[in-house]
Amino acid sequence: MKMTVIGCGYLGATHAACMAELGHEVLGMDSDIDKVAILNSGRAPFFERDLDALITRHTTTGRLKFTASHQEAAAFADLHFIGVGTPQRPGSDSYDLSHLFDAALKLAPHLSTPAVIAVKSTVPVGTAPRLAELLQAAAPAGDQVEVAWNPEFLRESFAVDDTLRPDRLVLGFQKTHSWAESVLREAFAKIIDSGTATIVTDWATAELAKGAANSFLATKISFVNAMAEVCEKSGADVTKLADILGHDHRIGRHGMRPGLGFGGGCLPKDLRGFIARAGELDADQAVGILREADAVNTRRRRRVIDLAHQELGADLRGKRITVWGASFKPETDDIRDSPALDIAQKLHDLGAYVTVTDPQALDNARKLHPDLDYVQDLIAATEDADLVLHLTEWHVFTHIDPKRLATRTTSRKIIDARGTLDTDRWREAGWMIRALGRPSQDE
């Protein structure tokens, strides 16, 4: 098939490359000319595992191209995926839909023949009818422009695999057995034929799917971190407790990892956006548990700062602190709502001299937090540190030999906020190590 992908950020570029991998002819469209040039050169303007290889392969064969022209995109195909960003609105927890409606308004005047607009962007429930009305009013093809909803469930650093081999495929339509449904079933035929669970539903249910899934995951992460707070007070070990709970098939261990909590461009935004929309629908009380989940997540960040005070004293001015991690999770350069950088900035604001190291995200971090110091080399970054904070669980941090750092730091103190360091190994090397939700050294 021929298809376009409107919006070539993290979601759109990944989707475009993966649809080309499935055998389709794909034109990606983005209004950022510089981004288009980078993509046409065969690479992504951000780091995502395995994505550059796909883009290079399919731009080389000509199966995948990118443009900045809405007119060219409209003429290229009758199936158009929209994957633009829907960030939080400034000063609000609600979604900012301006990019979505802007993309639709710029595409619509060029739609003179029947077309399917399949939206992948995360939105508040009730958006689809508004978008369909706008498109059909502005497009020469009128009501022959059909709107479908195809939510994404991508995990950063696993986005390629999640697109090609998803847990489930959700397709939402105004009415079933429509032309739009037949078009999308053809587009995803290889995925459907592989046995992937395919749920065909209405617009509203499909719109709710992504926000509900992320809100549940956020609640699960926040629950285990609430248990970490109890463990810290009682001397219990949250990692063992999580294993015990995880063996219950009704709960499961996946996604229930105690530590610093969640960040990134999806979970916090989708959790808060889901809560905000529930309030608009007069269902505010129903999502009280989600509001508390958000609060638990925020407390984990404050807990790390409290532990830093416990180890270095009430006055952090002049103290040298090394932060391991800038990205919100490993295997990505994404720093959106990064717990690591949030903590690093707060410690800097308290007067500490903060050095950050990360395998991929330092360039992005430097733009957003120019006051911090950045060192690429892990060993050099710990030079003369009074305290080390392990805040993003990159493999290189988890498996560092503590003896290599023993003569570098001013004092051997480390706080493991991700729970992936071997505490016995670090203590045997002479370090004081504190891990969230686990017994301290003197217990």
Side-chain angles (χ1 to χ4, degrees):
M1 294 180 67
K2 279 186 160 188
M3 60 189 65
T4 72
V5 178
I6 311 299
C8 292
Y10 173 81
L11 166 60
T14 302
H15 187 67
C18 288
M19 296 309 283
E21 179 72 3
L22 290 174
H24 301 302
E25 191 174 343
V26 184
L27 179 65
M29 185 270 146
D30 198 283
S31 57
D32 186 331
I33 297 175
D34 292 334
K35 185 187 297 182
V36 168
I38 293 171
L39 288 163
N40 275 323
S41 75
R43 60 188 178 89
F46 52 86
F47 175 74
E48 173 62 33
R49 185 166 45 188
D50 301 328
L51 181 57
D52 277 358
L54 281 191
I55 295 175
T56 298
R57 181 186 310 158
H58 296 300
T59 53
T60 299
T61 63
R63 185 177 289 168
L64 176 63
K65 299 177 182 178
F66 297 90
T67 182
S69 168
H70 288 85
Q71 185 173 0
E72 183 181 355
F76 183 80
D78 297 326
L79 171 58
H80 307 280
F81 288 96
I82 296 184
V84 297
T86 52
Q88 279 182 283
R89 205 161 52 211
S92 168
D93 286 338
S94 300
Y95 292 98
D96 181 354
L97 301 180
S98 59
H99 298 300
L100 175 62
F101 288 110
D102 182 64
L105 282 171
K106 288 180 178 177
L107 181 67
H110 306 292
L111 299 176
S112 56
T113 59
V116 174
I117 310 298
V119 181
K120 300 190 70 66
S121 304
T122 307
V123 299
V125 63
T127 302
R130 295 169 54 200
L131 186 69
E133 183 180 3
L134 181 153
L135 280 165
Q136 292 173 359
D143 59 8
Q144 291 183 301
V145 176
E146 296 188 26
V147 170
W149 230 260
N150 172 223
E152 54 87 13
F153 303 96
L154 306 186
R155 299 166 296 164
E156 291 196 38
S157 76
F158 297 95
V160 169
D161 195 58
D162 286 346
T163 303
L164 296 175
R165 288 167 286 277
D167 294 329
R168 73 286 207 195
L169 181 66
V170 177
L171 304 175
F173 307 99
Q174 185 178 25
K175 56 184 179 180
T176 57
H177 308 300
S178 62
W179 176 59
E181 181 178 344
S182 65
V183 169
L184 284 185
R185 282 186 176 277
E186 183 180 354
F188 291 113
K190 286 187 178 180
I191 291 175
I192 294 172
D193 292 346
S194 71
T196 298
T198 302
I199 298 94
V200 176
T201 186
D202 54 90
W203 276 342
T205 305
E207 287 175 305
L208 280 170
K210 173 65 181 297
N214 274 351
S215 294
F216 182 84
L217 180 56
T219 303
K220 192 173 184 181
I221 295 170
S222 295
F223 174 84
V224 78
N225 281 328
M227 294 303 100
E229 293 183 18
V230 176
C231 287
E232 289 173 6
K233 298 293 184 181
S234 63
D237 189 330
V238 73
T239 58
K240 299 295 184 183
L241 180 61
D243 284 339
I244 293 167
L245 298 176
H247 282 291
D248 188 325
H249 69 274
R250 299 165 300 173
I251 298 172
R253 189 67 165 86
H254 183 70
M256 191 170 60
R257 188 177 65 214
L260 187 52
F262 54 81
C266 290
L267 282 191
K269 180 197 72 168
D270 291 344
L271 175 65
R272 293 161 194 161
F274 199 88
I275 294 170
R277 183 58 175 150
E280 293 169 356
L281 296 171
D282 200 24
D284 194 61
Q285 287 186 322
V287 292
I289 188 173
L290 302 185
R291 194 172 291 106
E292 180 56 27
D294 196 18
V296 170
N297 191 62
T298 301
R299 283 204 301 270
R300 290 288 80 191
R301 304 183 188 191
R302 291 201 300 265
R303 177 60 177 157
V304 172
I305 295 175
D306 290 343
L307 289 176
H309 279 296
Q310 288 181 24
E311 297 304 325
L312 299 180
D315 188 358
L316 296 181
R317 287 178 295 181
K319 299 295 185 181
R320 303 181 70 88
I321 299 176
T322 297
V323 169
W324 286 356
S327 57
F328 83 93
K329 66 179 240 181
E331 302 299 335
T332 179
D333 62 353
D334 193 344
I335 63 167
R336 289 176 294 176
D337 199 13
S338 164
L341 285 177
D342 183 31
I343 291 169
Q345 186 64 54
K346 284 182 169 62
L347 291 170
H348 169 82
D349 294 342
L350 290 170
Y353 183 80
V354 182
T355 300
V356 179
T357 185
D358 188 283
Q360 289 289 343
L362 292 192
D363 287 342
N364 290 338
R366 193 176 286 110
K367 296 173 186 175
L368 193 62
H369 297 272
D371 295 336
L372 305 177
D373 188 41
Y374 298 95
V375 175
Q376 188 72 54
D377 183 78
L378 165 61
I379 304 300
T382 59
E383 194 74 38
D384 297 328
D386 298 304
L387 178 67
V388 177
L389 303 181
H390 176 224
L391 304 186
T392 306
E393 63 275 33
W394 284 91
H395 179 89
V396 66
F397 301 147
T398 300
H399 296 282
I400 187 72
D401 183 354
K403 294 179 181 178
R404 291 184 64 193
L405 304 181
T407 60
R408 295 279 185 167
T409 58
T410 300
S411 60
R412 300 180 188 180
K413 294 181 178 182
I414 186 167
I415 296 172
D416 179 16
R418 290 300 182 179
T420 59
L421 302 183
D422 185 335
T423 54
D424 291 338
R425 187 171 177 231
W426 281 81
R427 285 168 182 161
E428 288 170 3
W431 287 76
M432 186 295 304
I433 181 169
R434 302 281 297 272
L436 296 186
R438 303 178 71 180
S440 60
Q441 197 162 355
D442 56 357
E443 290 182 292

